[in-house]
Amino acid sequence: DEIDRAREIKHEAFGDHGNGAYTHSQGAYTFREEICKFLERRDGVKANPDHIYMTTGASRAIDMMLQTLAFDDK
């Protein structure tokens, strides 16, 4: 069931330490790996966890992308 799988993934990512500590700015690597697996299953798309950036929502993701494009030196 989904709740048990979420608990398993959380435990893989954080062990017994909970999730109150800071994680990688892209999001916990284990979560990003699971996102890649999901995308491959659902869409047939192979994704790289290093290219996944987890955000608090679509608006934050769009804001991050616009900032990246606006401040790119190229």
Side-chain angles (χ1 to χ4, degrees), residues 13 23-24 26-35 48-50 54:
T23 62
H24 194 284
Q26 287 178 248
Y29 192 81
T30 303
F31 294 156
R32 292 184 281 134
E33 285 180 316
E34 290 297 320
I35 291 168
N48 181 335
D50 293 329
M54 296 173 58

Side-chain angles (χ1 to χ4, degrees), residues 14-59:
F14 301 113
D16 295 322
H17 301 291
N19 59 354
Y22 287 104
T23 62
H24 194 284
S25 61
Q26 287 178 248
Y29 192 81
T30 303
F31 294 156
R32 292 184 281 134
E33 285 180 316
E34 290 297 320
I35 291 168
C36 290
K37 290 176 190 175
F38 170 78
L39 291 172
E40 186 167 2
R41 272 193 320 271
R42 187 188 70 179
D43 303 328
V45 173
K46 280 206 170 271
N48 181 335
D50 293 329
H51 299 161
I52 300 289
Y53 287 79
M54 296 173 58
T55 68
T56 56
S59 295

